[in-house]
Amino acid sequence: MTLTELKYIVAVARAKHFGHAAEACFVAQPTLSVAIKKLEDELGVVLFERGGAEISVTPLGAQIIAQAERVLEQTAAIKELAKQNKDPLAGPLRLGVIYTIGPYLLPPLVKAMIDQVPQMPLILQENFTVRLLELLRQGELDVAIMALPLPDHGMAMQELYDEPFVVAMPRQHPWTARDKIAAQDLKSETMLLLGNGHCFRDQVLEVCPEMARFSSPGNGMQRTFEGSSLETIRHMVASGIGLTVLPRASVTNMHATDGMLEYRPFAAPVPSRRVVMLWRKSFTRKAAIDALCAAIASCNLPGITPLCDDEDQRPGAK
């Protein structure tokens, strides 16, 4: 049994497909298939049910794969322990960010990191929450930034900031005469939302219950369109298709008058999300976490309420 074989079975369990798992592991499919068959023969068990278009995990295989994930996480911890006598701020930090945070946080964050800890460059990845949690567990990411609520994760967590939501509408919309928008009024509008899989979509539907009713025929919003990114949706709103809800940090200037969009805050209670940072409890570069938290706090994102004090989080601060 090798760590490589354990990595392969975890990849197949995640992808439900041998070819896709091989691509994720950067090996040829025959290489991956032979290694998994060798492991099954050694253990005397069948890990995957083959035969259909999609591979499924056997009940015993699920237990073995869960243990393999823990082994891989502990392997990553051993590597981190070997580095603990070195400078924790020296060397790259692998950071994952969800799609609805990355485009707005990363530009000022990268600049702040270059200014504050130039010896620790960021290796960045944008992805969905579930995928980022998997990469954290497997040791392929050091830290990830996402939004609550989260599934059970067993990670260390630092709350970063609270971010309100705002309504975006075309300039010619009659609601531009309003100072604030009530969430329940959205049910009468054509709304644009992110597609399934984006946690921001779920957060919007959770905090704006009137919007959640669009799936019921004859109730709720008149109709709904979906977009692949917040920026794509923003362009669709500008073209006059409908309205959308955006995180406040995505709006640089709520009072801009030279564009095709108008933005309005929600009336109380204002829907919002809490952005957090997660890392493995076995991760030993605590100073790197503190430096990242300090850099985020110094970004001064528009409209957010910081929960992480940059001075308290600077390396060496008491």
Side-chain angles (χ1 to χ4, degrees):
M1 186 187 306
T2 66
L3 292 174
T4 298
E5 291 167 352
L6 298 184
K7 181 179 179 181
Y8 289 169
I9 64 173
V10 169
V12 172
R14 182 174 64 245
K16 300 291 194 298
H17 190 281
F18 278 88
H20 296 163
E23 292 176 4
C25 295
F26 303 102
V27 297
Q29 182 175 338
T31 300
L32 179 138
S33 298
V34 168
I36 291 178
K37 184 63 168 63
K38 173 179 173 293
L39 180 60
E40 288 181 323
D41 290 343
E42 178 182 345
L43 297 176
V45 300
V46 176
L47 301 174
F48 303 102
E49 295 179 0
R50 305 161 174 86
E54 184 176 281
I55 303 299
S56 60
V57 182
T58 64
L60 179 57
Q63 298 180 48
I64 292 175
I65 289 164
Q67 184 64 38
E69 290 177 333
R70 290 190 286 270
V71 170
L72 293 173
E73 179 178 342
Q74 290 302 313
T75 301
I78 290 173
K79 293 179 180 179
E80 292 298 333
L81 286 171
K83 299 176 184 177
Q84 66 182 351
N85 290 326
K86 301 178 182 179
D87 181 0
L89 298 179
L93 186 72
R94 299 169 297 174
L95 172 65
V97 188
I98 59 174
Y99 291 113
T100 58
I101 292 178
Y104 318 111
L105 174 62
L106 291 180
L109 176 59
V110 170
K111 182 179 184 303
M113 292 292 286
I114 292 173
D115 292 341
Q116 298 175 21
V117 277
Q119 72 274 33
M120 190 173 72
L122 296 177
I123 298 176
L124 302 170
Q125 179 173 156
E126 284 186 298
N127 220 310
F128 295 108
T129 296
V130 173
R131 179 65 177 134
L132 292 178
L133 287 172
E134 290 177 350
L135 293 173
L136 277 176
R137 293 188 186 100
Q138 294 161 15
E140 296 180 32
L141 284 177
D142 299 320
V143 60
I145 297 172
M146 53 195 71
L148 300 179
L150 294 171
D152 291 338
H153 50 77
M155 302 282 174
M157 185 177 78
Q158 168 68 54
E159 296 178 340
L160 297 175
Y161 56 85
D162 286 332
E163 180 178 25
F165 300 159
V166 299
V167 179
M169 64 192 78
R171 287 191 65 184
Q172 67 274 19
H173 196 280
W175 283 5
T176 57
R178 301 185 184 186
D179 293 330
K180 297 181 179 181
I181 307 299
Q184 62 265 25
D185 290 347
L186 296 174
K187 68 178 180 180
S188 64
E189 294 294 312
T190 297
M191 297 299 299
L192 287 79
L193 299 174
L194 286 171
N196 287 322
H198 289 274
C199 62
F200 183 69
R201 170 196 175 95
D202 299 331
Q203 291 157 8
V204 170
L205 293 178
E206 180 179 355
V207 298
C208 303
E210 293 296 342
M211 294 179 66
R213 300 180 184 178
F214 78 93
S215 60
S216 302
N219 192 11
M221 294 181 288
Q222 292 178 350
R223 52 182 176 163
T224 304
F225 294 94
E226 293 184 355
S228 58
S229 73
L230 291 180
E231 295 310 306
T232 298
I233 289 176
R234 204 191 302 249
H235 292 308
M236 293 169 67
V237 172
S239 71
I241 292 178
L243 281 62
T244 195
V245 175
L246 296 174
R248 177 63 180 85
S250 71
V251 182
T252 304
N253 184 359
M254 286 284 288
H255 307 290
T257 58
D258 57 350
M260 300 176 66
L261 293 172
E262 293 271 351
Y263 303 98
R264 294 293 182 273
F266 277 95
V270 177
S272 65
R273 66 178 177 179
R274 177 157 292 185
V275 175
V276 300
M277 183 166 63
L278 275 71
W279 63 95
R280 294 181 306 281
K281 294 178 180 178
S282 58
F283 187 63
T284 59
R285 296 173 65 187
K286 184 59 170 63
I289 298 295
D290 292 343
L292 179 61
C293 189
I296 293 170
S298 70
C299 287
N300 297 318
L301 294 176
I304 64 101
T305 302
L307 301 172
C308 180
D309 189 327
D310 61 334
E311 292 298 328
D312 289 343
Q313 293 296 331
R314 290 188 186 279
K318 295 181 180 180

